[in-house]
Amino acid sequence: MADSVPSPKNILRGHKAAVHAATFLRSNQRLATGDADGYVVLWDLSIMRPRAVWRAHENAILGIRGWDDDKIITHGRDHKLVVWKLGLQEEEGLSTALPLEDVAAPRVQPWILHLLEVNTMNFCSFAACGDGQAQSLSPLIGDEVLIAVPNTLQSEAIDIYQLPSQSRIHTIKPGDGNGMAMALSLLKSDGSITLIAAFENGFASVHRLQEDGEWIMTYRSQAHSQPILSMMVGSDQETFLTSGADAIIAKHPIPKDLQIVTRTVIEKADERVVEITEEEEGPNPSLLSAGLKASNVTRPDNSQSVKQAWSHPLKAVNTKHAGQQGLDIRSDGRVFATAGWDSKARVYSCKTLKELAVLEWHKVGCYAVAFPDMKVLDESDRSSTPSEGTSPRTPNRAIAAITQSRSLVKDRRIRQATTTHWLAVGAKDGKISLWDIY
C-alpha cells in the first residue's frame, strides 16, 4: 500500500512567500516560478538549482509565460505586465541568491523589452497566444503575440493588446452582471481570434472575432455556483476546462458559430403565445450534416430559425473538493491537474473528468500547477554527446578523460530533465514539489 502512494521526485526550496505561478521553459530545461512578494526564480532542472533570481514586481505575481527561448512575460498585482529579455547569455549576469537569502544590494533585473500598464484589481492573470497557438501551448513562438487582460476601467470588459507594438487592438464587453473577470484564455486559428472569459458569478463565455470586425458570443453557460478560479483550453482547441471555488470541474465547447434553433409559435384560446425550442445537435456540426438538415427538414409555416449562443457545457462533475485552481492540461491532452486549497494537487482524465491521482506532500494550500510541453524533441534540439574519436584539445589525457566524463554527465542530466513527464506544484509554503507520474 505504501509503495502505491505517489511521492515527489524533488523539492525546490527558496521562495519566502507563497508560489502563485509556474511554467516550464526552453524545452523543459528551466522552470520559472513566481511568488506573492513579486520574486521570480528561474530553476535549472538538470541540477535543481537557481540560474536567475530577481524581483519582477512590487506585488504578487499573477502569471508567467515564456516567449521563444529568450523572453519571459510576467504579470503582477502592481498593475504591470513586463516582457523580460532572458536568454541563456543573460543568465550569466543575474543573481542566484534565492528570496529566502538576505542580500546587501538589490538583485539585478533582466533587460525590460516591453511594459504595459494593466488592471490587476481582480486577481486575473493575462492570457496570450501567437499564430495558431492556444493558451495551453508553451512557450509562445513568433515575432508577434496577443495579450488579453481585464479592462482598466471596467472589470467585466477585456482588452487585447498586440506585442511588440504595445497597442490595444480590441475591447470586448461580455455583458453586465457577471462580476469581475477571473480567468482568461486566448487562441488564434484560421486568422480568427477567440477569447474565452470566466467570471465571478460562475459564468463562462466564448467570443469570436468576425470578418467584419465585430465580436459575437458563441457560448455562455453557468456551470459553477461560485467564482471560477482557473481555465485552460484543450490541445484540440475545441474544448476548455474550468475549476472554481466550488467543487465543480466543467468541460465546455468552443463553438465557431452560433446555435441554430427553431421556434414554433402556438396560439391557444386565451391568446397566450408559447414558444417551443428545437435545438440542432452539436456545437460544431459538420458541413455535410448541416447541409442535409437544411435540405431535408420541412418546417411548419408558423416556425422560424434564429441564431443564439450555445448554453450547455459538455460535462460537469462534482469532485467534492472545493477550491481548485491553477488548472493546467498536459500537452498530449490526456490528463490535467489542479492545485487545491486543501494542500493537495489532483490529476484528472480530460476525457471523463475522473480523478486519477491525489498528490499529497504540502501541508498548506496549493496555488499553482504546471506541465511541461512533451513534444517529441529532435536530436538536433537535444544536447548531443561528443562524437567518437574526438577529444578536447589538451596535452594531458587524464584531464581529457575527466572533461569528457563531466560532459557526459551533464548531457545525461539535461536529457533527463527534458524528457521527464514533470508536474510542478507550488504552494503557500514557498516550496515547489516536482512529480513524475504517467
Side-chain angles (χ1 to χ4, degrees), residues 23-265:
T23 188
F24 287 86
L25 306 169
R26 300 184 199 157
S27 301
N28 311 337
Q29 294 187 45
R30 299 288 188 269
L31 173 67
T33 55
D35 64 27
D37 289 337
Y39 282 96
V40 173
V41 178
L42 190 65
W43 303 90
D44 186 340
L45 294 182
S46 64
I47 58 175
M48 300 298 170
R49 295 290 185 272
R51 284 293 189 183
V53 181
W54 78 99
R55 192 173 190 185
H57 297 274
E58 296 298 323
N59 211 320
I61 289 180
L62 298 174
I64 304 178
R65 188 81 184 273
W67 182 2
D68 290 329
D69 286 337
D70 60 348
K71 294 182 287 292
I72 293 179
I73 306 174
T74 62
H75 186 195
R77 287 215 67 216
D78 55 358
H79 305 287
K80 295 179 182 178
L81 185 143
V82 185
V83 181
W84 307 89
K85 175 67 173 177
L86 187 55
L88 190 61
Q89 296 179 349
E90 287 78 17
E91 291 181 4
E92 299 301 327
L94 298 179
S95 172
T96 58
L98 290 164
L100 278 173
E101 304 174 22
D102 295 327
V103 294
R107 297 168 178 82
V108 178
Q109 291 184 335
W111 186 262
I112 296 178
L113 296 177
H114 308 287
L115 191 151
L116 292 176
E117 299 286 344
V118 297
N119 172 28
T120 55
M121 292 298 294
N122 46 354
F123 302 92
C124 178
S125 178
F126 75 102
C129 74
D131 283 337
Q133 284 190 301
Q135 172 79 357
S136 59
L137 298 180
S138 180
L140 297 164
I141 301 174
D143 297 331
E144 295 184 358
V145 167
L146 299 181
I147 301 288
V149 291
N151 182 266
T152 304
L153 300 178
Q154 300 179 5
S155 59
E156 293 183 353
I158 311 299
D159 289 334
I160 297 180
Y161 291 85
Q162 191 270 346
L163 294 177
S165 68
Q166 300 186 198
S167 58
R168 184 172 61 182
I169 58 176
H170 297 287
T171 297
I172 301 94
K173 299 179 179 179
D176 300 329
N178 292 329
M180 296 186 297
M182 301 295 291
L184 302 173
S185 285
L186 194 65
L187 60 95
K188 184 178 181 181
S189 60
D190 301 328
S192 180
I193 304 172
T194 301
L195 170 73
I196 308 170
F199 297 94
E200 190 178 9
N201 64 348
F203 269 93
S205 57
V206 176
H207 308 264
R208 188 172 176 85
L209 181 63
Q210 302 299 292
E211 293 181 357
D212 58 2
E214 296 294 326
W215 287 86
I216 63 169
M217 183 186 299
T218 61
Y219 175 78
R220 186 174 186 269
S221 178
Q222 186 179 19
H224 298 266
S225 60
Q226 296 187 38
I228 296 176
L229 299 178
S230 60
M231 170 176 54
M232 184 62 68
V233 174
S235 58
D236 56 4
Q237 298 191 16
E238 295 182 355
T239 60
F240 68 97
L241 300 172
T242 56
S243 65
D246 55 11
I248 300 296
I249 289 179
K251 186 175 185 178
H252 311 261
I254 305 179
K256 295 182 179 180
D257 299 302
L258 293 171
Q259 177 188 33
I260 300 176
V261 296
T262 302
R263 292 179 176 176
T264 304
V265 181

Side-chain angles (χ1 to χ4, degrees), residues 401-412:
I402 294 174
T403 303
Q404 185 174 5
S405 177
R406 289 177 177 175
S407 177
L408 291 174
V409 172
K410 180 181 179 181
D411 292 337
R412 186 166 58 251

Side-chain angles (χ1 to χ4, degrees), residues 293-312:
K293 288 182 178 181
S295 60
N296 295 336
V297 176
T298 303
R299 307 187 188 281
D301 296 336
N302 58 341
S303 67
Q304 59 180 355
S305 295
V306 297
K307 293 183 177 181
Q308 66 182 33
W310 294 85
S311 58
H312 299 293

Side-chain angles (χ1 to χ4, degrees), residues 373-434:
D373 186 359
M374 292 307 300
K375 62 184 178 181
V376 178
L377 301 176
D378 296 332
E379 289 299 326
S380 59
D381 295 333
R382 298 182 181 180
S383 298
S384 59
T385 57
S387 302
E388 293 183 4
T390 63
S391 62
R393 294 183 178 179
T394 173
N396 192 321
R397 292 186 178 180
I399 296 177
I402 294 174
T403 303
Q404 185 174 5
S405 177
R406 289 177 177 175
S407 177
L408 291 174
V409 172
K410 180 181 179 181
D411 292 337
R412 186 166 58 251
R413 288 176 175 175
I414 292 175
R415 189 176 296 108
Q416 181 179 2
T418 56
T419 57
T420 301
H421 287 249
W422 294 118
L423 172 59
V425 180
K428 187 178 179 180
D429 56 11
K431 300 180 180 66
I432 302 101
S433 57
L434 289 174

